[in-house]
Amino acid sequence: MYLDFAKAFDKVDHYILLKKMENLNIKGNLLKWITAFLQKRKQVARANGKFSEDVPVTSGVPQVSVLGPLLFLILMIDISVPVLTAALGSFADDTRVWKSIKTKHDSFLLQTDLNGIYHWSTVNNMKFNDDKFEVLSFGLKEFEVAYKTPSNAVIEGKSIVKDLGILF
């Protein structure tokens, strides 16, 4: 199962991220510095040679910084907690969930784990792009099931999926 976060790096909730950092026992001057790094940012737009007014940046981590990807990983640190029977792997904002399906009950358990991930995304204020979800099955397809997205749409099965530049 290939899941896709919508604008993942842009949607990081600063409050939730900083709370997770406190829970990881990151505190003192380091936490203050990161808080200032995140919350004292402004952005401007330029069109036809003219600039807009400064607007505070209220979410997201800078992708062009060394710190941005690390902060995103801290946000994602507990995404596997609701996954009880499947395996979960992430590389930056690419998230995969897989499970050996031998019975219909295994399919039910995989959907249950997916639902747990969907709940995690809601609690952490991260939105999924359901239209980009994909399922890739290997082996026999005797227990082919229609897995559902957070919006209850069926996740489309694919015969080929590109994963970090490699076709499977």
Side-chain angles (χ1 to χ4, degrees):
M1 203 73 56
Y2 291 84
L3 310 179
D4 183 74
F5 284 103
K7 299 182 180 183
F9 286 87
D10 297 332
K11 298 294 182 180
V12 172
D13 185 306
H14 293 164
Y15 175 78
I16 292 170
L17 172 61
L18 294 168
K19 204 67 169 145
K20 286 186 182 196
M21 292 180 78
E22 286 178 9
N23 292 341
L24 290 170
N25 212 22
I26 298 170
K27 53 189 172 186
N29 286 336
L30 179 58
L31 185 62
K32 288 178 188 173
W33 183 81
I34 292 172
T35 301
F37 175 76
L38 290 172
Q39 296 182 337
K40 304 251 174 156
R41 301 181 80 79
K42 294 186 179 190
Q43 64 186 9
V44 261
R46 183 175 129 185
N48 299 324
K50 296 185 180 188
F51 292 92
S52 68
E53 292 188 30
D54 291 5
V55 177
V57 177
T58 58
S59 67
V61 293
Q63 296 177 51
V64 294
S65 72
V66 173
L67 198 52
L70 176 62
L71 294 173
F72 182 77
L73 289 175
I74 291 171
L75 177 77
M76 299 288 289
I77 200 164
D78 58 350
I79 190 172
S80 64
V81 170
V83 179
L84 303 177
T85 65
L88 183 138
S90 291
F91 182 79
D93 62 336
D94 293 327
T95 303
R96 297 155 216 77
V97 182
W98 63 95
K99 180 174 180 52
S100 176
I101 305 296
K102 296 179 181 171
T103 66
K104 286 193 179 208
H105 185 67
D106 289 336
S107 297
F108 169 79
L109 293 173
L110 177 54
Q111 183 65 59
T112 301
D113 284 344
L114 287 171
N115 293 342
I117 294 167
Y118 303 159
H119 178 72
W120 177 94
S121 73
T122 301
V123 168
N124 286 276
N125 211 11
M126 295 292 289
K127 303 271 188 272
F128 279 114
N129 186 354
D130 298 12
D131 295 338
K132 291 189 177 179
F133 282 21
E134 298 173 313
V135 176
L136 181 64
S137 298
F138 296 98
L140 301 174
K141 300 191 182 198
E142 10 177 337
F143 300 110
E144 201 158 311
V145 173
Y147 295 101
K148 303 289 183 145
T149 68
S151 61
N152 213 28
V154 174
I155 301 173
E156 185 178 348
K158 299 282 184 160
S159 58
I160 297 174
V161 171
K162 192 174 190 177
D163 186 358
L164 300 176
I166 299 170
L167 294 176
F168 289 91

